[in-house]
Amino acid sequence: MMQWLKNLPEMDLMRSEKMTFVQLIIPVESAHRAVSYLGELGLLQFRDLNDDKSPFQRTFVNQVKRCAEMSRKLRFLKDQINKAGLLSSALPTLQSDVDLEALESQLADHEHELIEMNANSEKLQQTYNELLEFKMVLQKAGSFLISGKSYESAEGRELDENVYPSDYTESDSTSLLEQATQSGPSNSSGLRFISGIIPKSKVLFFERMLFRATRGNLLFNQAPADELIMDHVSSEMVEKTIFVVFFSGEQAKTKILKICEAFGANCYPVPEDLTKQTQITQEVSLRLSELETTLDVGIRHRNAALHSIGVHLSIWMNMVKKEKAVFDTLNMLNFDVTKKCLVGEGWCPIFAKPQIQEALQRATFDSNSQIGIIFHVMDSVESPPTYFRTNTFTNAYQEIVDAYGVAKYQEANPAVYTVITFPFLFAVMFGDWGHGICLLLGALILIAREGKLSSQKLGSFMEMLFGGRYVLLLMSLFSIYCGLIYNEFFSVPYHIFGGSAYRCRDASCSDAYTVGLIKYRDAYPFGVDPSWRGSRSELPFLNSLKMKMSILFGVAQMNLGIMLSYFNSIFFNNSLDIRYQFIPQMIFLNSLFGYLSLLIIIKWCTGSQADLYHVMIYMFLSPFDDLGENELFWGQRPLQILLLLSALVAVPWMLFPKPFILRKLHAERFQGRTYGVLRSSEMDIDSEPGSARHHEEEFNFSEVFVHQMIHSIEFVLGSVSNTASYLRLWALSLAHSELSTVFYEKVLLLAWGYENILIRMVGLAVFAFATAFILLMMETLSAFLHALRLHWVEFQNKFYGGDGYKFKPFSFAALADDED
């Protein structure tokens, strides 16, 4: 039997790929090309031989800096294209090979040109905004000045002069802001004014501050601007308000100008003469028209430049990204100055050795090197990385396992069984073929649009959903299967008997099922008889059925996990684990819960009324008492005594022998080595790593014994808790069924009982919402998480260490899109 098990053929995913440790000796002239070809192949994981050096002490640090600077320039160009609302070319365009230095020069020219165009555009835009604000101030402030003059004549006062010079002309060389802050002729007895524009959100605080600073000796007029104006600070279109402040005195003028500066208000000169106002307004309008034309031409020129860059942007970004990755990898190699070569080490799968050698030969030929690249296998004391070759279908299941922990090298891979057990346990909890069809439609949509969605940038949730599309496919198919067995269609109560509707709600009818009068009618051909629906015995019947079914599934999966630990021990030639771990674990688990599963099957087959709770409890409390009505088969009591003794013996069997045997084997292994070769007194025996004393100190019996005790206690207690944990299959299945029934009867049927069409539509909407978001989304997520827990904790802890590390080869295909 043991020999037959050893000769079983291996499954593809059962063990990780066999790895080998290799060394490369690469001449300097072919190093770049060789690493590039290996990056395209993506089957060699380099080892960092310079991990003791900082990034600035490595050989190719200058090349990495140049690539990082080019990446920065490319990101700048990409941001400019996105801000302009242009789309870079998604399809690679045909282009001759561009040298890295030539590309660096092109990127510098493009960046300088764009920075210069942006600076000119910002200056023109700022001037345009100032002129636009000035035009609005001229239009709005004129009405304030006219009303101010009327007020002056009515009160017998007159405005002596404006705070700004009245002889404003376009030939002034000062800017608008400088003109606004220039002092006019002093006239302490006259009424002055300051006009300007301020964001609408600051008007209230601005007016309060002016009132407090001048102690109320001012007149503040305001009017909203006719259109939105770009704010030069935030570069956003904001609402602004035009204001005119009338005041008296030079001191008040100084305070008002300081407050305007603090609040970011732009002040503009407005002459009192209507003729000058009209003349200046016309000049400003003419200049605005010219600036609009200039800005439009500049935008078209800038967009044309960005479009020409966008055609090649993706190619340039990929090129720089690959170059940086190549130089980062070259920095992991040792540089031999005397021999002018680079020495590298790494891991690769054994099947990839011919492909790697072919790529290295091609690199030697293409670089015209006179010296070939040396590739040879080395021995390593380190544990190799773990590499599983997956496809589109199996990748999602492998990711589920790797999320718990990466398998140790050549350790049994749970993903082989997770492909089936995970969606099946999900379906046991979900178990509704109507909702399963809904999930199936969603999975088919994702699979049908696989080509389109794989090329798009999705959100985190959609990316996760798309990555698990095949997991969702199997979960939906198994849900339909389990729903058919449960006879659950959206968990709506329906009853079929002899081709006609049948309901059984009275006590006599439910009791008939209990005592076996169901023999007077034909048995239902497939799954649970829907006649249980609506009866008084429905919930007790389904509780009993699903609870026992959960125990059977749990014990079967835990036995599978222990069997996989046996295959691990066989593979690693660990006979101690087989004798003192696998065998007692199988005995303990099946003596208790395997026996419980046997009783469940016998009770189902015989229709016995035995109480299994009573049988299992008194198996421990009173093993020698007569079973009475709870006896299911002849010889049950002796068998229970034998199983109980076996379980009691299995506990010390797991705990004690292994630590003592390990100590004995360790002592025998180093017996006689304490007396080594005679050496001088200056030599310290303990300083040699290969000495017997050094190895003896590595074995700590107390630590090994405590570890074995923890492992044994964990298994014994875990056998009970893990079996109970599988009852979540029963709990979630009933919860889904009862929730569906409640929403159907208390929402949809209740609303449908009214003659009002509005109430019916509201009830239908609530039922649809509950079905979509509670039963399909929340219940799916809940069942998914519980199935995940059953695999990670109850199944994988029986055999899976998960303390390995993933194989991460140098590959251009694996480079992230946002990598610098």
Side-chain angles (χ1 to χ4, degrees), residues 654-685:
M654 283 187 284
L655 177 59
F656 293 108
K658 186 176 178 181
F660 289 98
I661 293 175
L662 287 175
R663 186 176 66 173
K664 181 181 178 182
L665 291 176
H666 183 270
E668 292 176 353
R669 186 181 302 120
F670 296 102
Q671 186 177 6
R673 297 189 186 182
T674 54
Y675 299 97
V677 181
L678 292 176
R679 49 177 65 85
S680 62
S681 59
E682 290 85 3
M683 296 180 65
D684 187 6
I685 298 177

Side-chain angles (χ1 to χ4, degrees), residues 494-669:
Y494 65 98
H495 309 272
I496 304 172
F497 178 71
S500 60
Y502 176 78
R503 288 186 179 271
C504 180
R505 293 186 179 274
D506 58 346
S508 60
C509 185
S510 61
D511 292 340
Y513 285 106
T514 306
V515 299
L517 293 183
I518 194 172
K519 63 183 179 180
Y520 290 107
R521 52 180 292 261
D522 295 333
Y524 195 72
F526 181 79
V528 177
D529 194 332
S531 297
W532 287 102
R533 291 289 183 181
S535 68
R536 293 174 56 184
S537 301
E538 174 190 3
L539 194 57
F541 169 75
L542 293 178
N543 272 335
S544 176
L545 172 67
K546 294 184 178 181
M547 180 177 62
K548 293 179 174 63
M549 178 187 65
S550 301
I551 294 175
L552 292 178
F553 289 152
V555 173
Q557 190 174 32
M558 288 190 291
N559 273 285
L560 175 62
I562 299 175
M563 284 296 299
L564 290 176
S565 70
Y566 167 78
F567 286 107
N568 272 338
S569 302
I570 287 291
F571 183 83
F572 294 113
N573 294 321
N574 193 341
S575 59
L576 285 180
D577 283 348
I578 297 176
R579 297 172 187 170
Y580 305 107
Q581 185 169 307
F582 165 72
I583 295 177
Q585 285 181 358
M586 289 293 290
I587 292 175
F588 183 85
L589 179 65
N590 291 290
S591 295
L592 301 180
F593 302 103
Y595 175 63
L596 175 60
S597 302
L598 177 64
L599 294 180
I600 291 173
I601 296 174
I602 293 175
K603 182 177 179 179
W604 279 351
C605 294
T606 61
S608 173
Q609 297 299 312
D611 186 359
L612 298 186
Y613 295 108
H614 185 277
V615 172
M616 294 302 298
I617 291 174
Y618 283 92
M619 176 180 174
F620 293 91
L621 298 181
S622 302
F624 300 101
D625 290 352
D626 188 16
L627 296 175
E629 295 180 353
N630 293 320
E631 186 173 2
L632 281 84
F633 57 91
W634 180 86
Q636 182 178 351
R637 185 161 61 95
L639 178 61
Q640 289 184 175
I641 296 174
L642 178 62
L643 293 176
L644 182 60
L645 292 176
S646 301
L648 294 177
V649 171
V651 176
W653 191 351
M654 283 187 284
L655 177 59
F656 293 108
K658 186 176 178 181
F660 289 98
I661 293 175
L662 287 175
R663 186 176 66 173
K664 181 181 178 182
L665 291 176
H666 183 270
E668 292 176 353
R669 186 181 302 120

Side-chain angles (χ1 to χ4, degrees), residues 772-784:
F773 291 95
I774 297 179
L775 299 177
L776 286 179
M777 292 185 62
M778 293 181 60
E779 286 286 308
T780 299
L781 181 60
S782 176
F784 180 90

Side-chain angles (χ1 to χ4, degrees), residues 177-221:
L177 294 176
E178 291 174 347
Q179 292 177 4
T181 56
Q182 285 179 350
S183 301
S186 176
N187 188 353
S188 57
S189 61
L191 186 65
R192 306 182 177 190
F193 71 90
I194 293 177
S195 57
I197 190 168
I198 189 173
K200 185 179 179 181
S201 59
K202 300 180 180 179
V203 172
L204 181 60
F205 300 103
F206 178 64
E207 184 179 1
R208 288 180 181 176
M209 186 60 69
L210 290 176
F211 185 83
R212 292 173 182 174
T214 60
R215 298 182 179 180
N217 296 320
L218 60 83
L219 179 63
F220 185 84
N221 291 328

Side-chain angles (χ1 to χ4, degrees), residues 664-814:
K664 181 181 178 182
L665 291 176
H666 183 270
E668 292 176 353
R669 186 181 302 120
F670 296 102
Q671 186 177 6
R673 297 189 186 182
T674 54
Y675 299 97
V677 181
L678 292 176
R679 49 177 65 85
S680 62
S681 59
E682 290 85 3
M683 296 180 65
D684 187 6
I685 298 177
D686 293 337
S687 64
E688 291 188 23
S691 64
R693 184 178 302 178
H694 177 80
H695 285 285
E696 284 183 356
E697 291 177 354
E698 292 180 354
F699 184 81
N700 190 331
F701 175 75
S702 61
E703 182 179 345
V704 173
F705 186 82
V706 170
H707 179 270
Q708 186 66 24
M709 181 175 63
I710 293 174
H711 182 78
S712 302
I713 294 174
E714 181 184 8
F715 178 82
V716 171
L717 298 180
S719 298
V720 180
S721 62
N722 293 348
T723 305
S725 183
Y726 277 94
L727 295 177
R728 70 186 68 238
L729 300 174
W730 154 52
L732 267 73
S733 175
L734 286 175
H736 184 89
S737 175
E738 295 302 316
L739 274 176
S740 301
T741 304
V742 167
F743 286 130
Y744 175 76
E745 292 184 346
K746 302 301 180 182
V747 176
L748 185 61
L749 291 185
L750 187 63
W752 218 253
Y754 292 89
E755 297 297 332
N756 192 330
I757 186 63
L758 181 61
I759 297 178
R760 289 186 175 184
M761 296 303 297
V762 170
L764 184 61
V766 173
F767 178 75
F769 176 85
T771 299
F773 291 95
I774 297 179
L775 299 177
L776 286 179
M777 292 185 62
M778 293 181 60
E779 286 286 308
T780 299
L781 181 60
S782 176
F784 180 90
L785 294 177
H786 283 285
L788 200 63
R789 184 246 157 75
L790 290 177
H791 281 77
W792 281 358
V793 179
E794 277 70 30
F795 174 55
Q796 291 180 189
N797 71 348
K798 301 294 187 297
F799 68 98
Y800 189 62
D803 53 353
Y805 64 101
K806 188 176 291 188
F807 177 61
K808 295 181 179 180
F810 171 60
S811 173
F812 291 148

Side-chain angles (χ1 to χ4, degrees), residues 175 256 329 490 509 698:
S175 67
I256 293 172
T329 304
F490 290 107
C509 185
E698 292 180 354

